Amino acid sequence: MFNNESLAIFEKISDAFLVLDREWHITYINPQAEAFMEKKRADVLGKSLWMVLPETVNSTFYMKCHTALKKGTMSHFNDFFAAFKRWFAIRIYATEEDIFIYFLDITDQKEIEERARVSQWLEQAILDSLTATIAVLDQQGTIVVVNEAWKRFAQENGRYQDEQNSDVGTNYLDMIARVKEGDSDFDDAQKALHGIHAVLQGSSTAFSLEYPCHSPTQKRWFLMNVTSLPQLPGAVTTHIDITARRLAEEALRASETQAKHLLDSNSIGVIIADRNYILQANDAFLKLIGSTQEDVRNRCVTWSGITPPDYDDLDQKAFQELLERGVWTPFEKELYRKDGTCVPIEIGAAQLQDDPRQFICFVLDISERKEKALEHRKDDFIGMASHELRTPITALKGLTQLLERKLERQNIHQFDPYLSKMEAQITLLTKLIEDLLEVSNIQAEVLDYDKELIYVYDLLHEVVETLQHSTKMHIITLSEVAHQTIVGNREKLKQVFTNLLSNAIKFSPYANKVDVKIVPDTHKVIISVQDYGIGIPQIHQHEVFQRFYRVRDVQRNYMPGLGMGLYIANEIVQRHRGRIWLESVEGVGSTFYVSLPALS
Ligand code: ADP
């Protein structure tokens, strides 16, 4: 069958080699085939191949052998022999008489291939399992590998939704360059182009960029990282969704801004403190206690330094509550100012989360609230006192008149001057008490006037006449320009003009006249009371209508009064839908005007 030379070759070659007759009987087996079949030549020669390798019957190998035999052609294929756990590249030649079979053991090569396949698969699986979107670029910027997240990202985001746009084969740089000038992300795209280019060219090893990728319904941010590949040209590009972080940062910034606004706002004092020191304070707080930022920085503002000893117990309780509950219920106390005076405040606090030894306090200046409460108590007191005083004064007045009548009947006149002085004093006292009561009624808003038709001239005439009796120095003139009628409470309006006239007389001790004028207007009447007295300094002119307001200067020191007259007059005029104002020049005199709605 073979000559000796070729036999020697077959004996030596590294491939297994079999020769069979057309009945599948083995006629030659080389040592390599003996080895891989784990059979001895003597045991297999003359035997059918299918008897020697029964496990291969009906296998691919079996089929291919039969086809080759039938068609008389050469067959070439790879097959795995499970029994020997080996891969072979098999060649079968069939001639008229023989069948030749070569087995080239390719198990090692297959293993290498398989390992490469598995590792490639593993790499891809690992890449795909990552949430970061990853693409590998070659040196030209063409995408050579992408993971699943990248594909999803490409599908979900932006203009380049068509998958080819950012899948393997696309040039990533070209894709970014498609962002046009004027697009909102143009600047970011330019930065990205620059950065990726630098990494691909090797002039830098990494580049990163945070960029927004907002849709109409969702705000999102991504972090792009581009890193050069070790030892290979190209780069790895990843995009990580950093929306959660950015939103948290934004929320933090917003709350920090809010806290800063609060700290900077001058409406409320805000401090951060520990048990001993005020560590930080806003300007509102510093203004409240008259200290400076410098004092705070130098740790000169201490709790013990700003707390009057009376409040030590309250403070102690508050600190205890802060320890137990993390907050203390706001309470009222006082703080020392730097100048030693006290300011009433309300103070609440909450522990800081980062450092429970520190806490933030909100400090509210309640001086005004306290003052109002005090005012309220004062009003109540005035109301009650004037009410209580009225009864004994009325009794006193009655008794004086009784005494007067009794003495008169007994024809005793030696006490007359004393009695009339007593009466005058009682009248003064009664007027004072009535005024006090009126002020307290105004405060309590319990005034309700009966109104009637009044001829302004008649009313003023009556008042002028009465007042003229009280002064010997002044001539009071009443010049009437027109007859005007108004609707109002006669007694109350008399009270207004009585007050204006008595002030005019009282505050013009060196003048000899007071002028009263009635000036008609379309729908109103204006009455002016002009004196030529000491006048009212400009700065006090707005204040004189306030309750208990008196201008204090040397000239007025000896002039009696409690600052109630103009306040009451203003209230009465306002309740008649009118207005009261004044013009005055110090040392020249004052004119008070009252305007009231007139009946046409
Ligand atoms: P009083 O009872 O003190 O007079 P008023 O309310 O009537 O209270 O007046 C308030 C203050 O306004 C007075 O204390 C006085 O200083 C000033 N005043 C009022 N009328 C005049 C005036 N005609 N001339 C100068 N000062 C006046």
Side-chain angles (χ1 to χ4, degrees):
M1 176 179 51
F2 300 122
N3 58 30
N4 283 344
E5 272 168 14
S6 50
L7 194 64
I9 292 170
F10 288 130
E11 286 293 303
K12 290 223 168 68
I13 58 169
S14 55
D15 307 335
F17 177 57
L18 283 179
V19 184
L20 308 135
D21 64 17
R22 290 182 64 91
E23 304 299 316
W24 304 106
H25 296 117
I26 300 170
T27 54
Y28 173 77
I29 179 167
N30 77 347
Q32 282 301 327
E34 276 185 284
F36 105 74
M37 288 182 182
E38 294 163 1
K39 304 273 191 248
K40 286 263 165 346
R41 184 178 286 184
D43 297 335
V44 298
L45 280 178
K47 288 198 177 141
S48 159
L49 178 63
W50 315 121
M51 295 280 285
V52 176
L53 299 175
E55 64 280 354
T56 59
V57 174
N58 289 335
S59 69
T60 314
F61 171 65
Y62 180 87
M63 301 299 178
K64 295 265 185 187
C65 285
H66 281 83
T67 316
L69 184 69
K70 214 187 280 166
K71 293 192 175 162
T73 52
M74 190 184 88
S75 185
H76 181 196
F77 61 95
N78 295 343
D79 198 9
F80 182 66
F81 279 61
F84 313 117
K85 295 199 179 76
R86 302 208 75 78
W87 274 93
F88 292 102
I90 300 164
R91 282 190 166 77
I92 306 172
Y93 301 99
T95 63
E96 297 274 300
E97 288 153 20
D98 301 303
I99 302 167
F100 303 96
I101 308 177
Y102 289 90
F103 296 90
L104 173 63
D105 191 337
I106 55 165
T107 311
D108 291 347
Q109 182 193 332
K110 273 279 183 192
E111 248 168 38
I112 290 167
E113 270 176 28
E114 185 63 6
R115 238 183 282 145
R117 213 169 58 77
V118 169
S119 85
Q120 208 179 356
W121 173 83
L122 203 63
E123 268 170 30
Q124 188 68 45
I126 291 169
L127 283 180
D128 289 347
S129 72
L130 297 175
T131 47
T133 60
I134 300 169
V136 181
L137 312 179
D138 68 12
Q139 203 175 7
Q140 279 67 48
T142 303
I143 300 173
V144 287
V145 174
V146 295
N147 73 343
E148 274 301 316
W150 179 280
K151 287 184 199 164
R152 270 199 308 277
F153 176 74
Q155 271 170 358
E156 285 167 12
N157 292 290
R159 286 151 286 197
Y160 313 116
Q161 282 183 349
D162 40 330
E163 221 181 307
Q164 314 111 304
N165 263 339
S166 52
D167 207 346
V168 173
T170 311
N171 188 290
Y172 195 51
L173 294 173
D174 291 350
M175 207 184 85
I176 298 174
R178 280 162 61 186
V179 178
K180 286 191 285 299
E181 207 169 343
D183 289 347
S184 61
D185 49 353
F186 180 74
D187 287 349
D188 281 338
Q190 291 302 305
K191 278 186 216 156
L193 272 179
H194 245 86
I196 301 172
H197 216 265
V199 175
L200 292 176
Q201 295 306 306
S203 57
S204 78
T205 51
F207 159 75
S208 62
L209 174 76
E210 287 189 12
Y211 64 96
C213 184
H214 303 331
S215 74
T217 53
Q218 220 185 353
K219 269 187 160 188
R220 294 213 290 171
W221 285 267
F222 290 91
L223 169 67
M224 171 199 256
N225 271 317
V226 183
T227 331
S228 59
L229 287 170
Q231 279 141 21
L232 284 171
V236 182
T237 311
T238 62
H239 295 258
I240 302 165
D241 189 339
I242 51 161
T243 308
R245 194 198 82 200
R246 287 294 289 249
L247 288 178
E249 277 173 6
E250 272 191 8
L252 188 68
R253 255 199 305 277
S255 74
E256 269 173 2
T257 318
Q258 261 176 353
K260 195 162 162 24
H261 279 329
L262 197 62
L263 214 66
D264 291 345
S265 82
N266 282 330
S267 53
I268 191 166
V270 184
I271 52 177
I272 291 173
D274 64 17
R275 184 66 186 82
N276 300 313
Y277 297 102
I278 310 304
L279 306 166
Q280 282 182 52
N282 71 346
D283 290 343
F285 178 80
L286 294 173
K287 206 168 135 203
L288 198 71
I289 61 160
S291 282
T292 60
Q293 290 290 2
E294 178 109 29
D295 293 337
V296 174
R297 266 197 300 279
N298 296 337
R299 296 280 183 275
C300 295
V301 189
T302 60
W303 278 119
S304 56
I306 56 171
T307 304
D310 286 357
Y311 294 97
D312 281 347
D313 283 353
L314 265 182
D315 271 10
Q316 208 55 44
K317 269 192 207 142
F319 286 127
Q320 193 57 35
E321 191 187 349
L322 190 70
L323 269 183
E324 286 163 12
R325 297 180 47 226
V327 292
W328 84 43
T329 320
F331 65 97
E332 289 182 9
K333 63 177 269 191
E334 284 182 315
L335 291 180
Y336 275 137
R337 287 204 189 91
K338 215 173 176 181
D339 63 8
T341 56
C342 282
V343 55
I345 55 143
E346 183 170 314
I347 184 165
Q351 246 169 4
L352 291 186
Q353 291 211 322
D354 311 355
D355 185 351
R357 282 167 309 171
Q358 293 184 6
F359 44 92
I360 184 163
C361 294
F362 301 96
V363 185
L364 203 66
D365 181 354
I366 55 166
S367 320
E368 216 168 281
R369 196 201 293 172
K370 285 272 169 197
E371 223 162 79
K372 272 195 188 142
L374 198 66
E375 285 283 285
H376 207 73
R377 280 218 300 279
K378 254 195 309 195
D379 288 340
D380 285 352
F381 171 76
I382 290 170
M384 263 156 43
S386 42
H387 202 82
E388 290 301 311
L389 283 171
R390 212 151 63 151
T391 324
I393 285 288
T394 318
L396 203 59
K397 196 171 183 169
L399 289 171
T400 314
Q401 283 164 354
L402 190 72
L403 188 64
E404 210 177 358
R405 279 199 298 277
K406 278 213 163 167
L407 291 173
E408 172 85 51
R409 251 181 260 140
Q410 290 170 21
N411 217 1
I412 302 170
H413 293 285
Q414 68 188 97
F415 302 112
D416 283 1
Y418 303 110
L419 278 172
S420 63
K421 272 187 190 152
M422 262 173 80
E423 251 186 320
Q425 293 301 323
I426 289 170
T427 312
L428 208 70
L429 212 53
T430 313
K431 162 93 172 66
L432 217 61
I433 289 166
E434 291 303 326
D435 276 358
L436 274 174
L437 206 59
E438 181 129 19
V439 167
S440 129
N441 283 343
I442 289 170
Q443 284 308 110
E445 308 238 339
V446 292
L447 291 183
D448 199 10
Y449 301 152
D450 292 331
K451 290 186 179 162
E452 59 186 296
L453 266 185
I454 302 166
Y455 289 112
V456 179
Y457 177 79
D458 289 355
L459 182 125
L460 287 172
H461 190 262
E462 220 179 302
V463 177
V464 168
E465 236 183 10
T466 316
L467 265 292
Q468 187 61 74
H469 288 305
S470 71
T471 172
K472 289 191 179 74
M473 263 184 75
H474 303 82
I475 304 290
I476 310 173
T477 61
L478 170 62
S479 52
E480 177 229 348
V481 181
H483 262 300
Q484 290 275 326
T485 318
I486 58 170
V487 175
N489 185 293
R490 175 174 281 274
E491 286 315 306
K492 292 294 160 194
L493 288 174
K494 266 168 74 176
Q495 196 179 337
V496 171
F497 295 109
T498 305
N499 185 264
L500 293 182
L501 273 171
S502 44
N503 277 351
I505 295 165
K506 185 162 72 177
F507 295 108
S508 58
Y510 309 112
N512 57 8
K513 63 167 181 172
V514 173
D515 294 327
V516 182
K517 285 184 191 141
I518 306 170
V519 185
D521 206 329
T522 350
H523 299 295
K524 59 188 179 215
V525 54
I526 299 171
I527 300 116
S528 66
V529 177
Q530 185 173 16
D531 67 54
Y532 305 90
I534 57 174
I536 303 171
Q538 182 75 33
I539 48 160
H540 296 291
Q541 289 182 9
H542 274 295
E543 322 287 344
V544 290
F545 296 104
Q546 283 178 16
R547 194 164 49 127
F548 306 129
Y549 191 89
R550 305 204 67 228
V551 181
R552 290 177 203 284
D553 57 27
V554 190
Q555 292 191 77
R556 282 167 235 253
N557 267 352
Y558 60 92
M559 294 173 180
L562 287 178
M564 289 187 287
L566 288 179
Y567 170 71
I568 295 172
N570 185 33
E571 284 296 323
I572 295 173
V573 170
Q574 276 186 13
R575 278 160 209 254
H576 281 82
R577 295 173 185 276
R579 199 163 80 81
I580 186 167
W581 72 99
L582 70 94
E583 283 166 5
S584 183
V585 178
E586 240 187 310
V588 177
S590 316
T591 307
F592 280 81
Y593 297 90
V594 173
S595 108
L596 292 162
L599 284 183
S600 48

